[in-house]
Amino acid sequence: MHRALITGGTAGIGAAFARAFAGRGSALVLVARDPDRLEESAAQLRREHGVVVETIVADLADRDAQQRVADRLESDTDPVDVLVNNAGFSVRAGLLDEDLNPHDLGFEVMIRAVLKLGGAAGRGMSRRGRGWIINVGSVSALVTQNNYSAIKAWVGNYSESLGVQLAGTGVQVTALMPGWVRTEFHSRAGIKGSSIPGVLWLDADRLVEDCLRDVARGRPVSVPSKRWKLISAALRTTPRGLVARLSALLSHRRNREK
């Protein structure tokens, strides 16, 4: 039986991963900040799927909390076979803002924690000779809107680099790069999304199933849905000057929705 540790496992894409693994009979380790919501999610998964669900209350902006989760990943007691680095949030602060606190939080949760947990998982899994690491990035890594785009670009590059270092160990790394997904992520960030065409929105459960198929095929990058694969391919080959213009247009539209 596999055991999957999922950060941000009580909402959005993380919750969809939890449902997908529980539906396959996998044991779970859910990591989240809110203890009440964490226990509620764990109880529901136990009730509906009859699986073992362990919980870790941890705010990944805190380095001591990062260490506790890292220690769990390296432990050979009830070992973790799958890590889903999913915890994250929108960083909407401007790059010219004097207050760097929102950026620092983004770095801690979506860069340092990903690096810390990916390293711990890679060490533990390679020692056991098997494992899967899924890092949730974003197609926004291919544009140049804000620091969130820059952070997600790092996640994509890091994932592929980690995969190179773990080659031959039995551990596979996949970067999940979704487009817009219908979750509470956007509402939490104050993004209405009214200017986004309906056809571009993805369902979280379908997205996760697409990702897990890519993981099973050994793909280092997963871009769910044909439409976002096409968009991603186009962005990768578009001259950077045109990408900058597109990014400015997207930023302008988003600012109008505030």
Side-chain angles (χ1 to χ4, degrees):
M1 178 180 69
H2 290 152
R3 177 173 282 99
L5 187 149
I6 305 166
T7 67
T10 62
I13 294 174
F17 268 110
R19 291 190 294 270
F21 281 114
R24 290 164 166 79
S26 299
L28 299 173
V29 183
L30 299 184
V31 179
R33 294 182 301 166
D34 186 332
D36 294 333
R37 187 168 188 178
L38 188 58
E39 190 48 48
E40 180 183 345
S41 297
Q44 182 175 358
L45 290 164
R46 294 181 191 116
R47 183 173 62 252
E48 293 182 356
H49 299 282
V51 297
V52 174
V53 184
E54 177 185 344
T55 61
I56 301 176
V57 179
D59 181 350
L60 293 179
D62 178 81
R63 295 193 176 185
D64 289 336
Q66 292 177 16
Q67 186 63 56
R68 286 193 288 109
V69 180
D71 290 343
R72 180 64 185 88
L73 285 163
E74 281 204 73
S75 174
D76 289 325
T77 302
D78 296 327
V80 171
D81 307 286
V82 183
L83 165 63
V84 181
N85 262 321
N86 165 75
F89 51 88
S90 178
V91 180
R92 302 193 70 191
L95 298 177
L96 300 179
D97 291 357
E98 286 189 48
D99 181 8
L100 294 182
N101 285 330
H103 298 291
D104 287 338
L105 287 173
F107 292 143
E108 284 293 332
V109 175
M110 293 182 283
I111 292 184
R112 191 183 191 278
V114 170
L115 177 66
K116 178 80 173 176
L117 303 189
R123 290 189 295 274
M125 292 175 184
S126 60
R127 188 170 62 247
R128 296 186 290 270
R130 72 168 191 177
W132 298 266
I133 298 172
I134 301 169
N135 295 318
V136 179
S138 173
V139 169
S140 70
L142 303 177
V143 296
T144 52
Q145 282 185 265
N146 48 36
N147 200 24
Y148 182 79
S149 297
I151 286 170
K152 290 303 184 180
W154 180 89
V155 170
N157 191 296
Y158 161 76
S159 295
E160 294 190 68
S161 299
L162 182 61
V164 169
Q165 291 201 17
L166 287 170
T169 66
V171 184
Q172 178 188 323
V173 184
T174 298
L176 169 60
M177 297 184 64
W180 286 299
V181 187
R182 291 200 184 278
T183 69
E184 61 191 71
F185 176 91
H186 295 88
S187 60
R188 281 184 171 182
I191 302 169
K192 297 177 182 178
S194 56
S195 64
I196 301 169
V199 70
L200 293 181
W201 288 100
L202 298 173
D203 174 76
D205 292 302
R206 176 66 184 274
L207 174 153
V208 165
E209 290 300 327
D210 286 351
C211 176
L212 293 179
R213 277 195 291 273
D214 286 339
V215 170
R217 293 166 181 160
R219 292 179 176 169
V221 178
S222 174
V223 182
S225 85
K226 291 180 180 179
R227 55 194 180 278
W228 280 105
K229 282 182 172 65
L230 180 61
I231 292 170
S232 176
L235 287 171
R236 289 182 187 278
T237 57
T238 298
R240 298 308 295 172
L242 290 180
V243 170
R245 291 186 189 179
L246 174 62
S247 300
L249 176 62
L250 292 171
S251 296
H252 176 68
R253 287 185 175 181
R254 176 166 292 182
N255 289 335
R256 285 192 307 175
E257 292 183 350
K258 288 183 180 180

